[in-house]
Amino acid sequence: MFRALADCNNFYASCERALDPSLVGVPIVVLSNNDGCVVARSAESKALGIPMGAPYFQVRRLCEAHGIRVFSSNFSVYGEFSERVMSVLTEHARDIEAYSIDEAFLGFPDMPDADARALGLRIREDVLRRTGIPVSLGMGATKVLCKLANERAKSDKASGGVIVVPSDAAGREAFLRGLPVGSVWGVGPGLAARMRAHAILTAADLATADASLVRRFAGVVGERLALELRGVACHEIVEEASQRKSVMVTRSFGRPVSDSSELEEAVAAHAARAAEKLRQEGLMASAVIVLLRTDKHRPEAPQHRVDESEPLEPPTDDARAVCSAASRALARSRRDGVQYKKAGVLLLGLLPSASAQMTLPGLTPGADPGRERLMKAVDALNARLGRDAVRLASTGFERKWKAKSEMRSEAAKEAEGEAPTAPAKAPKPRIRFHE
DNA sequence: TCTGGGGTCCTAGGACCC
DNA sequence: TCTGGGGTCCTAGGACCC
């Protein structure tokens, strides 16, 4: 089976550019939540030396000096672009797994090597024409090989955005030779160091190493990587979204927060948002964990990090139940006078709403007939009038703790409101997002 | 010197990813 | 002054069981 990884180039920056064609050729940077770090750069910004992940305050002057256009991120808009890209991709492959917001694995059974490149170029062309987003394709026998090929497709201008790893051993090895082992997908700094200690320096070294030996010092994870590199697929393309295991909502504050009512408000807001995600996906949660973090970049200030859990009995997707449980956990974990930098809510023990009701007779959340109708009404109103048009009072109105997002593009703000009139879309692919 | 041998389930923490 | 957010998988170790 031939596989491919289609990965959007500089995805968030490309979205901003697709919305505003006057940005073509202009260096662009997109910032993370809270306008903290650089999370996307156009090719021009990369060439100007803006590093990925750099804290914005460190590169601000460089941006100003070169006229780089800087944008706060607008994830709901990027999510819509993602759906369009995915729906085009589904037309080209039998199997598709949307792996993240900007990349998808594709499966092509029974395709000869000779046809791969032409197909890759066609896909690239079609996605660009219909969505305005440039993608690169890496093709090969396994996901790990596709990933490496994709990286090269991005860096090698002569590739035309498509690289195919040959399926014969000699061609594969030639491709892997010289690639540092740390550049292999799944080999982080820790594994890379262990590999090097065993004289495995390149991807080719790992591909030809004895698998059981690799297993001894790098575990099953390392063994699978070695097999994938020699063309033995250990990671299939997964089309059905597996049921997710947790829902997390965390945000840094715009400034340090110690005031208890502000913390209450922030935690309630995150809890309500998490419950909303549950309802969107037809899930109930059995426990909530509240996270508090101080600023680790200020070691001189009192530090405190805590994950405090509280059961949800019975399992629920009701914003009120989640908020009050979160509030109890917060009350136990918060320390007076400590300045927190971040708060979050994690929901665990997820199960489908239907099964939650079936397996808990007498305790069914649906036993409160008003509950479900109320939450449905809230969701419907917010869908029509905008997020938080209707909300729990405990989630606050001032929201002084809110993160910064001062540089959203006008184009993205407009696009955000126009969902119903967005360009006609193919039916939504049934895919998962890791956001 | 020597301490049974499997199992399962749960949790915490590490590692990695986008 | 200013440093993101949201996930998954694996492993080790403890509790408990036959």
Side-chain angles (χ1 to χ4, degrees):
Chain A
M1 164 115 133
F2 232 101
R3 295 174 169 82
L5 174 66
D7 194 326
C8 301
N9 301 351
N10 319 325
F11 182 56
Y12 304 152
S14 296
C15 291
E16 293 290 346
R17 190 169 275 172
L19 289 168
D20 178 1
S22 77
L23 294 172
V24 172
V26 176
I28 300 175
V29 145
V30 179
L31 302 180
S32 65
N33 269 323
N34 210 23
D35 295 343
C37 296
V38 173
V39 291
R41 309 157 295 159
S42 67
E44 299 80 7
S45 297
K46 288 179 191 174
L48 289 167
I50 306 287
M52 181 62 173
Y56 177 52
F57 74 91
Q58 285 175 5
V59 295
R60 181 178 204 143
R61 294 178 50 153
L62 191 57
C63 290
E64 287 164 0
H66 291 97
I68 296 177
R69 296 287 304 276
V70 180
F71 298 104
S72 301
S73 42
N74 191 324
F75 288 105
S76 59
V77 170
Y78 306 154
E80 285 178 27
F81 271 98
S82 175
E83 284 177 19
R84 284 183 228 169
V85 169
M86 298 299 171
S87 79
V88 173
L89 290 175
T90 53
E91 295 175 22
H92 290 277
R94 193 194 70 176
D95 309 324
I96 174 167
E97 172 184 350
Y99 180 73
S100 77
I101 192 166
D102 71 340
E103 61 192 315
F105 287 103
L106 310 174
F108 312 97
D110 312 321
M111 184 175 62
D113 273 34
D115 297 349
R117 181 169 172 79
L119 174 64
L121 289 169
R122 271 207 308 281
I123 294 175
R124 194 187 130 73
E125 169 60 30
D126 196 28
V127 174
L128 181 62
R129 185 173 56 79
R130 292 165 64 188
T131 69
I133 303 291
V135 299
S136 298
L137 279 101
M139 310 178 80
T142 68
K143 285 183 168 180
V144 170
L145 288 170
C146 290
K147 200 79 187 177
L148 281 169
N150 192 288
E151 266 174 44
R152 184 169 304 176
K154 284 206 165 74
S155 59
D156 176 0
K157 294 297 159 215
S159 71
V162 178
I163 289 276
V164 181
V165 182
S167 46
D168 64 286
R172 201 165 47 231
E173 233 188 282
F175 172 80
L176 297 175
R177 205 168 297 141
L179 293 177
V181 72
S183 68
V184 175
W185 185 45
V187 180
L191 261 184
R194 255 175 290 160
M195 300 270 184
R196 285 192 296 265
H198 287 78
I200 293 172
L201 306 181
T202 68
D205 293 340
L206 183 54
T208 51
D210 177 62
S212 59
L213 175 73
V214 173
R215 180 172 194 140
R216 245 172 282 152
F217 67 82
V220 291
V221 176
E223 184 184 27
R224 282 178 202 155
L225 288 171
L227 291 169
E228 285 252 329
L229 283 175
R230 66 184 78 157
V232 179
C234 302
H235 302 290
E236 293 305 323
I237 290 178
V238 184
E239 293 199 83
E240 269 300 295
S242 59
Q243 199 212 282
R244 69 150 96 208
K245 296 175 176 144
S246 63
V247 168
M248 191 188 274
V249 178
T250 72
R251 291 287 180 282
S252 294
F253 299 128
R255 49 161 177 73
V257 171
S258 57
D259 180 75
S260 70
S261 60
E262 279 185 51
L263 282 174
E264 284 273 355
E265 218 177 87
V267 167
H270 299 340
R273 173 78 188 115
E276 192 177 42
K277 284 194 196 179
L278 280 183
R279 296 193 297 276
Q280 275 167 11
E281 301 189 27
L283 297 170
M284 303 252 181
S286 321
V288 55
I289 293 179
V290 169
L291 309 84
L292 290 178
R293 302 285 185 266
T294 46
D295 189 348
K296 60 173 187 269
H297 301 290
R298 292 184 56 215
E300 72 282 3
Q303 295 291 306
H304 183 217
R305 66 172 271 151
V306 62
D307 301 355
E308 182 73 26
S309 65
E310 174 79 11
L312 293 167
E313 285 166 346
T316 186
D317 61 4
D318 187 319
R320 295 165 297 173
V322 176
C323 282
S324 59
S327 165
R328 289 193 293 278
L330 174 64
R332 288 199 300 273
S333 49
R334 188 183 75 81
R335 283 188 195 157
D336 275 331
V338 173
Q339 300 222 301
Y340 293 98
K341 180 61 184 162
K342 180 181 191 171
V345 165
L346 175 63
L347 298 175
L348 292 170
L350 306 189
L351 52 167
S353 304
S355 89
Q357 296 183 14
M358 280 193 304
T359 56
L360 291 164
L363 283 178
T364 71
D368 170 4
R371 185 206 68 86
E372 208 174 328
R373 294 215 316 270
L374 175 63
M375 285 299 130
K376 275 211 174 101
V378 168
D379 291 337
L381 282 168
N382 285 337
R384 186 139 45 96
L385 304 173
R387 177 168 295 174
D388 285 337
V390 181
R391 60 181 139 179
L392 294 177
S394 59
T395 65
F397 294 92
E398 282 191 76
R399 303 199 163 179
K400 287 185 273 187
W401 43 269
K402 276 281 257 188
K404 284 176 286 192
S405 185
E406 294 164 350
M407 293 170 278
R408 290 191 161 202
S409 65
E410 290 306 315
K413 279 189 211 164
E414 278 169 35
E416 204 176 4
E418 73 177 20
T421 56
K425 286 186 275 191
K428 250 191 182 182
R430 287 185 45 74
I431 50 176
R432 75 175 146 179
F433 289 108
H434 298 250
E435 256 180 297

